[in-house]
């Protein structure tokens, strides 16, 4: 297996008809570390929307049970990647996601925005820091993968192309990012969780490094001090260097799924997909966004 052999395989497939197959090559074989980081950033971005961050703080899921909420989110999404949409495991994961979200009336604009972060942020991260840029086949396949997930979640008016998803993300954030004290608490709890995965003396350094990877709109929304230009340049150069080093390594021979990540720590004895996530009381706990005028998302059967 040569370094670019899987990319050649991807390019032989149809990016729409074979979207799931392409995504299941790209994520666990080509970019497992990068997709983990990019999807963490995708979800983290949503806290900068006051309506989302404020309710997350009030549910306390991401301030009091931060590791569990992280694990459950990772494992539910990972189950679909590993097993697909039509399998028993994949359908169970989708059902749990929908059961949690149906506890609230979720605004259509909000849920489409969250979906857009899953589409746009991996491309932006990998193009900046990955060992190679995403191919057009992978970009289209990723878009189709999340369009399919969106349909299973009952999301209306899903964008059709990557460019439409990216435009949605940028316009939404420009209009709705803003300061909220409770959202900042969720952000701080998330940064603390990420630091907790490493030796305690490294926590201040890791927090600074993480802030150096955030863009200006996020820093401004959470009112974090911007790291110095030299610090930001050093951190970003270090992450890019890691990508270049990966390019020199032999390609991965077996898939690495997110459930195998060492950051997932809450289930040392295993887990059942049907038991993951929260069982929120409707209108009170467990779901990122609540709106009185939205429509509840439901599964496509």
């Amino acid at each position: 297996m040569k370094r670019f052999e899987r990319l050649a395989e991807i390019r032989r497939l149809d990016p729409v008809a074979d979207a799931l197959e392409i995504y299941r090559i790209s994520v666990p074989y080509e970019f497992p570390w990068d997709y983990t980081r990019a999807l963490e950033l995708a979800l983290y971005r949503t806290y900068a929307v006051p309506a989302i961050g404020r309710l997350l703080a009030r549910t306390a899921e991401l301030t009091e049970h931060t590791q569990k909420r992280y694990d459950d989110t990772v494992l539910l999404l990972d189950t679909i990647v590993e097993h697909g949409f039509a399998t028993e495991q994949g359908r169970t994961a989708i059902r749990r996601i929908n059961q949690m979200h149906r506890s609230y009336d979720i605004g259509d604009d909000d849920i489409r925005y969250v979906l857009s972060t899953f589409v746009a942020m991996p491309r932006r991260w990998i193009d900046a820091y990955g060992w190679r840029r995403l191919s057009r086949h992978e970009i289209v396949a990723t878009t189709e993968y999340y369009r399919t997930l969106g349909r299973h979640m009952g999301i209306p008016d899903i964008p059709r192309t990557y460019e439409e998803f990216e435009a949605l993300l940028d316009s939404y954030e420009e209009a709705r990012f803003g300061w909220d004290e409770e959202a900042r608490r969720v952000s701080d709890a998330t940064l603390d969780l990420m630091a907790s995965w490493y030796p305690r003396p490294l926590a201040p350094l890791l927090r600074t490094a993480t802030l150096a990877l955030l863009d200006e709109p996020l820093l401004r929304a959470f009112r974090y001090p911007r790291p110095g230009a030299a610090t930001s340049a050093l951190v970003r150069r270090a992450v890019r260097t890691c990508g270049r080093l990966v390019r020199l390594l032999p390609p991965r021979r077996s898939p690495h799924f997110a459930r195998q990540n060492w950051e997932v720590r809450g289930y040392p004895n295993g887990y059942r997909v049907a038991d993951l996530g929260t069982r929120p009381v409707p209108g009170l706990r467990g779901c990122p966004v609540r709106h009185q005028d939205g429509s509840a998302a439901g599964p496509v059967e």
Side-chain angles (χ1 to χ4, degrees):
M1 174 71 67
K2 297 180 180 179
R3 170 48 76 185
F4 287 92
E5 194 169 329
R6 285 201 175 91
L7 177 59
E9 179 184 356
I10 287 170
R11 286 173 168 160
R12 287 192 293 267
L13 297 170
D14 185 288
V16 176
D18 302 318
L20 177 59
E21 184 176 354
I22 291 173
Y23 195 69
R24 292 169 73 181
I25 296 172
S26 187
V27 175
Y29 283 100
E30 297 284 80
F31 302 105
W33 186 84
D34 294 286
Y35 266 101
T36 295
R37 303 286 82 80
L39 292 175
E40 286 172 354
L41 179 58
L43 288 170
Y44 178 80
R45 298 190 75 80
T46 67
Y47 311 162
V49 178
I52 297 175
R54 189 180 306 125
L55 187 59
L56 279 170
R58 292 173 182 175
T59 67
E61 292 297 327
L62 272 170
T63 53
E64 296 179 12
H65 312 290
T66 317
Q67 182 70 61
K68 182 182 187 305
R69 182 62 182 260
Y70 175 89
D71 292 349
D72 288 354
T73 300
V74 168
L75 294 173
L76 285 169
L77 293 174
D78 182 65
T79 297
I80 304 169
V81 176
E82 183 171 3
H83 299 286
F85 295 100
T87 64
E88 180 181 354
Q89 298 99 317
R91 292 177 68 83
T92 299
I94 293 168
R95 188 177 305 114
R96 286 298 303 124
I97 292 169
N98 285 326
Q99 285 170 346
M100 288 186 287
H101 283 78
R102 278 202 303 270
S103 297
Y104 291 82
D105 290 329
I106 302 176
D108 294 339
D109 290 344
D110 296 312
I111 197 67
R112 277 192 297 268
Y113 163 67
V114 175
L115 191 67
S116 77
T117 67
F118 294 166
V119 175
M121 295 315 299
R123 193 237 176 132
R124 292 181 176 181
W125 176 277
I126 291 170
D127 281 2
Y129 303 116
W131 66 269
R132 66 169 172 83
R133 296 170 70 88
L134 283 181
S135 68
R136 184 63 189 177
H137 268 54
E138 288 168 302
I139 293 168
V140 173
T142 298
T143 303
E144 289 301 313
Y145 177 88
Y146 282 107
R147 278 175 48 79
T148 301
L149 178 59
R151 288 194 293 270
H152 280 282
M153 293 177 65
I155 301 173
D157 303 322
I158 300 172
R160 298 187 60 84
T161 67
Y162 172 84
E163 289 73 21
E164 290 178 5
F165 271 110
E166 189 171 49
L168 186 156
L169 180 143
D170 289 337
S171 62
Y172 182 101
E173 292 184 348
E174 183 177 359
R176 305 200 188 189
F177 267 14
W179 163 255
D180 183 85
E181 184 176 356
E182 292 179 282
R184 169 65 184 260
R185 287 201 297 111
V186 176
S187 174
D188 286 340
T190 301
L191 296 180
D192 289 344
L193 171 68
M194 293 177 178
S196 74
W197 297 331
Y198 302 90
R200 186 180 297 273
L202 295 177
L205 178 63
L206 291 168
R207 184 183 179 92
T208 299
T210 301
L211 293 179
L213 292 171
L214 301 184
D215 53 71
E216 179 61 29
L218 271 176
L219 291 172
R220 188 168 55 248
F222 290 127
R223 296 185 181 176
Y224 288 130
R226 180 191 299 181
T231 299
S232 295
L234 178 63
V235 170
R236 295 177 184 225
R237 189 179 302 118
V239 180
R240 282 194 294 269
T241 299
C242 289
R244 294 190 179 100
L245 292 176
V246 169
R247 183 170 181 153
L248 300 176
L249 297 175
R252 183 176 294 278
R253 294 185 176 275
S254 58
H256 181 92
F257 293 101
R259 61 176 169 77
Q260 299 168 289
N261 290 346
W262 68 282
E263 298 95 340
V264 177
R265 302 183 169 194
Y267 299 96
N269 299 317
Y271 60 91
R272 292 176 65 249
V273 176
D275 295 334
L276 296 173
T278 60
R279 265 64 178 185
V281 176
L284 292 179
R285 298 179 67 84
C287 184
V289 189
R290 179 177 63 181
H291 292 278
Q292 297 301 321
D293 58 350
S295 60
V300 174
E301 297 293 348

